[in-house]
Amino acid sequence: MKQLGILLLLTLLSTGIHAQQVEYVDDEACGCELVFIDGIQTTTDGELFGFKRADGTIITPNRYRFVDKFHGNYCKVFLNYGQCGLIDRDGNTILPCIYGELDYPSEGRILVVKDGLYGYTDMQGNLVIEPQYPLAGTFHDGLAPVAVIIDSFFSACTFIDTLGNRILPPLYESVQPFNEGYAPVKRYQRWGMIDQSGKEVLTTRFEQITDNSYGIFFAGDSSGMALFDYTFRPLTPFVYTWTSGLVEGRIGVQRNGKYGFLDTKGREVIPCIYDETGIFSNGRTLAAIGDRFGIIDTLGNIILPLEYDNHTPHGDKYMYHDGLALVEKDGQLGYVDLDGKLVIPMYFEQAFHFTEGLACTRFKGLWGYIDTLGQVFVPHIFDHASPYEWGRAEVIYNGNVSKMDHRGKCVKNCNGIIAWREF
């Protein structure tokens, strides 16, 4: 057993999060930030926060010092530091603000912290597992990882069911949550994998292991890792020194200092020949050899020749957003489509990738916004500008920091400015 603060690792994962729908309200003469997420808006009187619906119905008055955004049906709220609770979309209190922290519901249980210890409530707010663990995680596959206090100096890890029963003795220095019936565990400084009965399906002999999402994972040591699936036999040699998660059927890997991609069967479908790669989006990702950048697809076909630069700041270049990728050559920036065709000419001095259908670009020393057709949305008149997020963008105009809505209208710190574009 090792000291808890040094070696204990419990992955704390939230569930119940879903894609959020955003609605923008056009009437903003007040200069307020009226952005409705899933039909609910955060309100404030400048000090305290509450919520209302798009029709103006008050869900909760401004009573909370801090609030999160809604995650599905629930939202964390704080009366003050260390006074956390949970409400639903109707403003009903699920958990009163008596907890130091909590997590969103998972499999009918809510992870809570009180007086520095972790426990669980049910969905009605009743404590079903008293706070007693120095660390704990949310439930997956009906089980949650917890650290059990052994004595005043040591703790060890195990798993409990939704009633708090231990399914195994506290044997492990470190654990990760169960996924599809299996969980990575660490014992005597070595990682392996167990099933829900506690049987070692992968012997604890590895220095490192990745999480087992999607039924695949890497295990090995600092000299090299191999890809495994639930047959628990290596699908590749132990040659990879870095790996990414699975995205669009591809796993980024590093071998002998070079980057490439595997498929889920362990086949190196894109050889490790690149000095830099990105993450796939729309079946495309950046690739670089030396200081020459381009774009490849999931089969390794070159979509944009590796003859471009990556010197100017900003951007997230060679990655697709809104169907376009920002590219750079000889100090100028433009945008290419999914076929690698230059559709917005390279005449910008600096630029960001597209967000919400718009990109902020610098031309002749000043910043403005263009749409995905390359048309000027707001003229290049700003000292600086930021990308759009939740329908808002910050700009610096005549030395003042202002906010602009999705129509190009000033909505905050306007100083007499209504809009920077014609309607």
Side-chain angles (χ1 to χ4, degrees):
M1 305 285 183
K2 299 295 182 180
Q3 291 188 21
L4 171 66
I6 298 175
L7 288 176
L8 179 62
L9 172 64
L10 288 170
T11 302
L12 307 180
L13 299 174
S14 297
T15 62
I17 298 172
H18 69 283
Q20 296 176 315
Q21 300 298 316
V22 182
E23 175 189 351
Y24 308 121
V25 177
D26 292 336
D27 184 10
E28 304 199 34
C30 66
C32 303
E33 304 230 20
L34 302 182
V35 180
F36 292 91
I37 301 175
D38 285 350
I40 293 179
Q41 179 208 350
T42 303
T43 62
T44 181
D45 60 10
E47 294 184 1
L48 300 177
F49 295 88
F51 297 96
K52 72 177 181 180
R53 294 191 175 89
D55 63 6
T57 304
I58 299 297
I59 298 174
T60 65
N62 299 326
R63 65 168 65 135
Y64 301 110
R65 185 166 183 181
F66 312 105
V67 296
D68 195 5
K69 291 184 175 68
F70 271 86
H71 292 255
N73 292 323
Y74 304 101
C75 184
K76 290 198 294 187
V77 293
F78 296 78
L79 285 179
N80 211 327
Y81 296 102
Q83 293 180 290
C84 182
L86 190 73
I87 62 172
D88 66 15
R89 291 175 66 85
D90 294 320
N92 299 314
T93 297
I94 305 301
L95 295 180
C97 294
I98 60 174
Y99 297 102
E101 189 44 280
L102 58 84
D103 212 325
Y104 286 100
S106 173
E107 300 187 3
R109 294 291 182 262
I110 305 170
L111 177 65
V112 296
V113 183
K114 194 170 181 63
D115 298 327
L117 296 175
Y118 290 74
Y120 300 85
T121 75
D122 62 19
M123 296 305 297
Q124 288 70 49
N126 304 306
L127 271 174
V128 291
I129 303 173
E130 290 287 336
Q132 58 191 281
Y133 306 111
L135 280 177
T138 53
F139 278 90
H140 298 267
D141 286 2
L143 300 171
V146 296
V148 176
I149 297 173
I150 304 300
D151 55 33
S152 58
F153 292 100
F154 297 102
S155 295
C157 299
T158 184
F159 296 89
I160 60 172
D161 64 19
T162 55
L163 297 178
N165 301 309
R166 298 181 195 173
I167 68 162
L168 298 169
L171 299 172
Y172 304 105
E173 299 159 10
S174 191
V175 298
Q176 296 180 24
F178 272 93
N179 191 358
E180 299 184 30
Y182 302 105
V185 296
K186 188 177 185 181
R187 194 177 185 190
Y188 303 121
Q189 297 294 301
R190 290 293 184 268
W191 284 95
M193 193 88 69
I194 62 171
D195 64 17
Q196 292 191 345
S197 72
K199 176 185 176 182
E200 281 193 2
V201 292
L202 184 69
T203 306
T204 50
R205 66 181 189 273
F206 300 104
E207 290 181 9
Q208 50 191 326
I209 196 169
T210 64
D211 73 82
N212 54 318
S213 300
Y214 308 107
I216 54 176
F217 59 95
F218 285 85
D221 57 30
S222 57
S223 64
M225 296 187 293
L227 180 68
F228 288 76
D229 63 12
Y230 286 159
T231 64
F232 301 105
R233 294 189 297 270
L235 303 177
T236 69
F238 289 83
V239 294
Y240 299 105
T241 52
W242 173 88
T243 70
S244 74
L246 177 67
V247 178
E248 297 192 1
R250 296 293 180 262
I251 309 161
V253 291
Q254 183 185 46
R255 176 170 56 83
N256 296 329
K258 301 290 185 178
Y259 294 90
F261 292 88
L262 305 180
D263 65 13
T264 57
K265 301 298 183 182
R267 294 173 295 214
E268 201 169 285
V269 290
I270 299 176
C272 292
I273 60 174
Y274 296 104
D275 294 306
E276 185 176 344
T277 56
I279 296 173
F280 276 99
S281 174
N282 299 114
R284 308 285 188 270
T285 189
L286 75 84
I289 295 179
D291 62 356
R292 300 288 89 188
F293 286 76
I295 297 171
I296 60 175
D297 68 13
T298 55
L299 297 176
N301 299 315
I302 294 176
I303 303 301
L304 183 73
L306 276 65
E307 57 186 40
Y308 290 80
D309 305 323
N310 192 17
H311 302 312
T312 62
H314 309 305
D316 192 10
K317 292 186 278 293
Y318 306 98
M319 303 297 289
Y320 281 89
H321 301 267
D322 292 342
L324 297 174
L326 179 64
V327 299
E328 176 189 353
K329 200 169 190 178
D330 300 327
Q332 301 294 304
L333 295 102
Y335 298 83
V336 298
D337 64 15
L338 288 169
D339 296 323
K341 179 182 178 182
L342 188 68
V343 292
I344 298 178
M346 304 178 70
Y347 53 74
F348 300 111
E349 299 147 7
Q350 290 188 38
F352 285 86
H353 63 76
F354 276 90
T355 60
E356 302 183 12
L358 297 169
C360 51
T361 57
R362 194 179 80 171
F363 180 66
K364 295 185 177 179
L366 295 174
W367 289 85
Y369 292 82
I370 62 171
D371 62 22
T372 55
L373 297 177
Q375 303 297 315
V376 174
F377 178 75
V378 176
H380 292 79
I381 58 175
F382 303 114
D383 300 320
H384 212 292
S386 73
Y388 271 87
E389 184 178 13
W390 302 116
R392 298 293 179 272
E394 278 193 347
V395 296
I396 299 179
Y397 184 69
N398 290 336
N400 296 315
V401 179
S402 303
K403 282 204 173 183
M404 182 168 57
D405 71 6
H406 66 291
R407 300 178 302 159
K409 181 180 179 180
C410 183
V411 293
K412 193 169 185 180
N413 297 334
C414 298
N415 298 321
I417 299 165
I418 301 299
W420 288 286
R421 66 185 296 265
E422 296 293 331
F423 292 97

